[in-house]
Amino acid sequence: MSSATAGGLTAADQHLVEGVLAGRRRALAKTITLVESTHSDHQRRARQVLAALLPHTGRTIRVGISGSPGAGKSTFIESLGLYLIDAGRRVAVLAVDPSSSVSGGSILGDKTRMELLCRRDEAFIRPSPSAGSLGGVADKTREAMLVCEAAGFDVIIVETVGVGQSETTVAGMVDAFVLLQLPNAGDDLQAIKKGIVEIADLIVFNKADIDERAAAFARGQMRAALTMLRSNSPNWRPPVLTVSALAKRGIAEFWAEIERYRSVLSATGEFDEKRRRQAVDWMWSLIDSGLRRYFRAHPAVRSALPELVRDVAEGHTTPGAAASRLLAYLKH
Ligand code: GDP
């Protein structure tokens, strides 16, 4: 084992940090593996590595892309990624897929997805970590995002599917949250009902090549619906676009809207404010999950819990009384 350096980093981890900063893929992949590990020693090392990388993060745009399976997310991300690379950018694609621990990865897991993008040096694609709960998966992805930023990727794309709360979670870790929709699929109604439209900064109807008129109609409907919904920002009304990811149409226009979004929100200070708020929210969510772990591991809680759970279930104790008794154990 190598000796520790001034920042608490071992020489090996210092080497890892330097590798990431130099943009070396092997170091990048190894660091993300370290970050994703659930081993407590790895987690401690990962925290130190991330602390060393932190000053080199943030000079990016983080874009979340959500949509139902089949909406064309991977096709769209591939077209967008290739477009951005042509424009001189470096693109990292990460995923938040809480179902991946069950299914073995429904997004990004399949090697045939984004085949052209995979082959490019200017792109880095990482499947969803399979860390179990949505919170766990999201935390690892947030950290992987920081590592990619330190490695010089200047556009970070986070893909997610409409599973449970995953859209809200991803919206909470990116600058711009994009909803990819299908015209004609009743998709838009679903999204409005689920409240996803309200958290979207941009809405994109894909597969416009199949039926241009249907796409234009869906766009009109969505624009009308948006006028009735609350906007995320007083200065930004989410634009609704039509694209064809497959035919690579509308991709440049989409990116122009992302750039416009960034400049409008930067001008009002909202862009940085949102990131600050996200960082603090993330800290609180880590505290919440840490407290929960600490609580469950507490010896007095562990011994009293089964009986109290039974009492609550059978109506012998109120949930409030049981909770307060259990929480009181933490004071000792
Ligand atoms: P995902 O599940 O959201 O990632 O969707 P995919 O990107 O895998 O796309 C699902 C299917 O739709 C694939 O067969 C794609 O080739 C097709 N597809 C994606 N984008 C378009 C498009 O713009 N036009 C057409 N006609 N087909 C598309």
Side-chain angles (χ1 to χ4, degrees):
M1 192 70 205
S2 17
S3 60
T5 57
L9 285 169
T10 61
D13 288 347
Q14 179 65 38
H15 189 66
L16 216 49
V17 167
E18 282 158 16
V20 170
L21 293 178
R24 283 197 283 274
R25 297 181 84 84
R26 216 175 121 68
L28 175 62
K30 273 177 84 171
T31 304
I32 295 181
T33 303
L34 186 68
V35 158
E36 287 178 352
S37 169
T38 49
H39 193 288
S40 64
D41 182 50
H42 292 168
Q43 287 184 350
R44 186 186 48 76
R45 285 174 52 205
R47 274 197 295 278
Q48 287 167 343
V49 168
L50 283 168
L53 294 176
L54 192 66
H56 307 276
T57 65
R59 287 178 289 270
T60 49
I61 178 119
R62 304 166 181 166
V63 180
I65 305 224
S66 169
S68 338
K73 291 179 297 300
S74 61
T75 313
F76 180 73
I77 293 171
E78 176 157 82
S79 294
L80 176 64
L82 294 171
Y83 167 81
L84 291 168
I85 289 172
D86 277 349
R89 316 293 291 264
R90 295 182 68 211
V91 184
V93 183
L94 309 169
V96 170
D97 179 4
S99 65
S100 66
S101 43
V102 186
S103 65
S106 59
I107 54 177
L108 293 181
D110 183 351
K111 285 255 184 299
T112 60
R113 296 180 93 224
M114 305 183 205
E115 221 172 320
L116 294 174
L117 197 58
C118 279
R119 283 195 228 130
R120 300 295 298 256
D121 281 343
E122 305 89 334
F124 179 77
I125 301 179
R126 183 86 178 182
S128 179
S130 44
S133 72
L134 172 58
V137 171
D139 287 339
K140 306 280 182 206
T141 304
R142 279 191 182 94
E143 291 178 343
M145 179 159 86
L146 297 179
V147 180
C148 290
E149 291 184 355
F153 290 92
D154 53 2
V155 178
I156 312 285
I157 296 174
V158 184
E159 177 183 4
T160 194
V161 275
V163 180
Q165 293 293 306
S166 69
E167 284 121 336
T168 321
T169 304
V170 169
M173 67 168 84
V174 296
D175 305 312
F177 184 70
V178 178
L179 182 59
L180 197 66
Q181 296 271 99
L182 288 179
N184 282 335
D187 225 24
D188 37 357
L189 213 65
Q190 276 301 322
I192 292 170
K193 272 202 271 180
K194 282 171 68 187
I196 306 158
V197 168
E198 284 177 57
I199 58 169
D201 301 303
L202 262 98
I203 296 164
V204 178
F205 283 99
N206 188 29
K207 307 198 187 182
D209 57 294
I210 296 177
D211 186 345
E212 294 273 357
R213 280 184 47 202
F217 182 74
R219 180 176 58 195
Q221 296 271 72
M222 183 58 81
R223 281 184 178 153
L226 280 173
T227 60
M228 289 181 278
L229 296 175
R230 189 181 49 87
S231 197
N232 273 337
S233 152
N235 304 302
W236 183 257
R237 183 151 283 285
V240 187
L241 310 175
T242 58
V243 304
S244 168
L246 199 61
K248 297 186 164 48
R249 284 211 304 268
I251 305 295
E253 291 78 2
F254 166 79
W255 193 252
E257 284 298 307
I258 293 280
E259 293 285 13
R260 189 169 71 83
Y261 172 82
R262 173 164 41 191
S263 69
V264 167
L265 270 75
S266 295
T268 60
E270 277 175 271
F271 193 85
D272 291 340
E273 178 51 33
K274 186 172 177 178
R275 283 194 173 185
R276 279 196 289 271
R277 204 175 55 236
Q278 288 175 340
V280 173
D281 285 351
W282 183 16
M283 179 193 77
W284 278 113
S285 96
L286 289 172
I287 291 175
D288 286 344
S289 52
L291 280 174
R292 192 174 269 267
R293 267 197 313 277
Y294 177 71
F295 173 76
R296 286 182 175 275
H298 194 284
V301 171
R302 281 175 63 161
S303 76
L305 195 62
E307 199 181 324
L308 277 169
V309 166
R310 230 179 4 256
D311 285 352
V312 169
E314 286 166 12
H316 303 315
T317 309
T318 65
S324 92
R325 225 174 99 194
L326 287 165
L327 287 169
Y329 289 128
L330 294 188
K331 295 188 193 140
H332 309 300

